[in-house]
Amino acid sequence: KRGNKKAINAIRTAGKYIGIGVANLNNILNPDIVVIGGGVSNIGKTLFDPIKSWARMCSMEASRKSLLIVASKLKANVGVMGAIALCLR
């Protein structure tokens, strides 16, 4: 957020590889939505723009059209909520 170029480049690079991973999952499973959570989801556009761009670029055309990538509304609490959900089963 303070404009550190090395940090921004590292975040964009991480976004690229996350996006490629999302594309692989999209090509195999074709989900309706991909939700990215945890503390990383707080980074915002610096991370999500490359994720979305690479995911669309590397997805097959048929599954690319319906691909929706969003940040979890639970933010950093997603892990805790997942653990609670497992305990309640």
Side-chain angles (χ1 to χ4, degrees), residues 16-89:
K16 171 184 176 179
Y17 291 109
I18 294 169
I20 292 170
V22 168
N24 288 328
L25 291 171
N26 187 44
N27 290 335
I28 296 167
L29 302 172
N30 194 17
D32 292 330
I33 188 169
V34 174
V35 180
I36 298 177
V40 74
S41 65
N42 293 328
I43 294 174
K45 288 179 59 76
T46 306
L47 179 66
F48 276 86
D49 285 351
I51 290 174
K52 291 176 181 180
S53 175
W54 281 94
R56 284 185 173 75
M57 189 171 22
C58 296
S59 289
M60 293 184 293
E61 187 175 351
S63 61
R64 177 185 317 142
K65 294 176 183 175
S66 62
L67 179 60
L68 179 61
I69 302 169
V70 299
S72 170
K73 291 181 180 179
L74 298 175
K75 302 289 182 191
N77 295 325
V78 71
V80 173
M81 297 303 286
I84 292 169
L86 282 174
C87 291
L88 295 175
R89 296 194 319 156

